Amino acid sequence: MSSPIVKLVAQRVALGILLLLAVSVLIFAGTQILPGDVAQAILGQSATPESLANLREQLGLNQPAYVRYFQWLGGVLTGDLGTAMSSGQDIATSIKGRLWNTLFLAFWAAIVAVPLAIILGLIAVRYRNGWVDKLISGLALASTSFPEFFIGYVLVYFFAVKWQIFPGISTVYDGMPFGERMQAIALPAAALTLVVLAHMMRMTRAAILNVMQSAYVETAELKGLSAFNVIRKHAFPNAIAPIINVVMLNLAYLIVGVVVVEVIFVYPGMGQYLVDHVTKRDVPVVQAVGLIFATVYISLNIIADIAAIVANPRLRHPK
């Protein structure tokens, strides 16, 4: 690996670490300025002033904010995400199963969405400005116009209520047979796929069309290569960097943006876990889940940047 690539990769990683640190500050500050009293939320309206004061002391709420931030950050760096105020359970232990459920859902949505988006993008370019291209682009535009909750409820109505093909509530548990688990996640995975598919397809089409205007593509066309071979051998490989960026951004969304879909299908993942504890004003859980989402999003963006750098032939083969 050449020196310019190593330098750029190191810069991206360092920038990602700094960005994650800044996000941790924002997450902590955001949870601290939420209205209401944590101790009051835990003990209820009938709590006495003495019990409230004792609980605030026990939770460390009387300490300055910067002290609590560094205590929290130190715990996170050592793998201690804290204890849920509402249940007294260890957050890291509670999150493990739910994180696996979210990753499982996002993985199967990506397995369907990424190849399908690239294939549809290639087909749209192959038949650009024709009825096939217009049909694919029109459906993609319509898909991006609908929010996740609308797509989710439509899928539930037709596939769970009307036709009764898949369950409307995605219940999964440890030791569940693989086939049953796949049937349970079919609808939320389909909803996530429809949400990200259109954007990836449109960006794939745009990236390849941009490359199609290059001189070497015109030369390949003049040599008599078929339109499909021109796209496959010359346009697509040179458009891979922006396509990778788009795919990674959408993969990040599949993991981070699952909150609405998980709530609709009552899926026991990170999004549902976050919403449940936001309603309870469980600050440590909100901080932990928020930081995990931020870490996943920033990490995938760093991977996308690194992949784009490595895929750049001018950096791989400097003069």
Side-chain angles (χ1 to χ4, degrees):
M1 191 176 289
S2 61
S3 179
I5 292 181
V6 174
K7 183 178 179 180
L8 285 172
V9 169
Q11 288 177 347
R12 293 295 189 278
V13 173
L15 183 61
I17 294 173
L18 290 176
L19 182 59
L20 186 58
L21 184 63
V23 169
S24 72
V25 174
L26 291 176
I27 291 173
F28 185 85
T31 55
Q32 298 307 304
I33 62 176
L34 289 174
D37 183 1
V38 176
Q40 190 80 62
I42 294 174
L43 296 179
Q45 296 297 325
S46 60
T48 63
E50 292 78 12
S51 61
L52 290 173
N54 291 334
L55 183 58
R56 291 191 191 100
E57 183 68 29
Q58 180 183 345
L59 298 176
L61 298 177
N62 294 330
Q63 295 179 330
Y66 72 90
V67 173
R68 285 183 279 123
Y69 167 73
F70 284 111
Q71 289 176 344
W72 172 67
L73 184 62
V76 169
L77 295 176
T78 58
D80 180 14
L81 298 178
T83 303
M85 291 181 177
S86 57
S87 63
Q89 296 179 346
D90 180 66
I91 296 175
T93 303
S94 301
I95 278 179
K96 285 180 182 178
R98 291 180 175 270
L99 179 59
W100 161 249
N101 288 341
T102 293
L103 292 176
F104 184 82
L105 175 62
F107 171 78
W108 287 107
I111 286 293
V112 176
V114 174
L116 188 58
I118 293 175
I119 291 171
L120 289 175
L122 291 172
I123 292 174
V125 173
R126 169 62 182 83
Y127 299 101
R128 59 187 179 277
N129 300 325
W131 70 269
V132 175
D133 179 25
K134 292 178 181 179
L135 176 63
I136 294 174
S137 298
L139 291 175
L141 183 61
S143 178
T144 55
S145 302
F146 296 123
E148 298 98 318
F149 69 87
F150 179 81
I151 294 175
Y153 285 131
V154 169
L155 291 175
V156 169
Y157 174 73
F158 283 104
F159 290 95
V161 177
K162 192 171 184 179
W163 299 329
Q164 298 182 359
I165 300 174
F166 299 108
I169 297 178
S170 300
T171 303
V172 296
Y173 53 87
D174 292 339
M176 188 176 188
F178 180 75
E180 293 182 14
R181 183 181 284 264
M182 291 299 294
Q183 186 179 22
I185 71 164
L187 292 185
L192 286 174
T193 298
L194 291 174
V195 168
V196 300
L197 174 65
H199 181 242
M200 285 193 290
M201 189 285 296
R202 295 180 67 193
M203 295 305 295
T204 298
R205 178 184 181 276
I208 297 176
L209 283 178
N210 184 53
V211 174
M212 292 290 286
Q213 301 174 4
S214 303
Y216 57 84
V217 173
E218 294 179 0
T219 302
E221 291 174 339
L222 292 174
K223 287 181 178 180
L225 291 178
S226 65
F228 178 75
N229 282 329
V230 169
I231 295 171
R232 181 175 64 87
K233 294 182 178 180
H234 298 278
F236 180 70
N238 288 282
I240 198 68
I243 291 174
I244 289 175
N245 269 311
V246 172
V247 168
M248 285 297 179
L249 285 173
N250 282 277
L251 289 181
Y253 178 81
L254 282 177
I255 298 173
V256 177
V258 297
V259 176
V260 174
V261 172
E262 288 188 356
V263 170
I264 290 172
F265 294 97
V266 200
Y267 184 73
M270 293 286 286
Q272 182 70 52
Y273 185 65
L274 174 63
V275 171
D276 289 344
H277 286 79
V278 165
T279 58
K280 299 173 184 176
R281 207 182 183 282
D282 200 326
V283 173
V285 173
V286 176
Q287 291 173 341
V289 176
L291 189 61
I292 290 173
F293 279 160
T295 302
V296 171
Y297 193 87
I298 292 172
S299 298
L300 288 175
N301 274 273
I302 292 173
I303 293 172
D305 288 342
I306 293 174
I309 291 169
V310 174
N312 190 332
R314 289 175 295 180
L315 294 174
R316 292 202 315 269
H317 307 289
K319 294 182 180 180

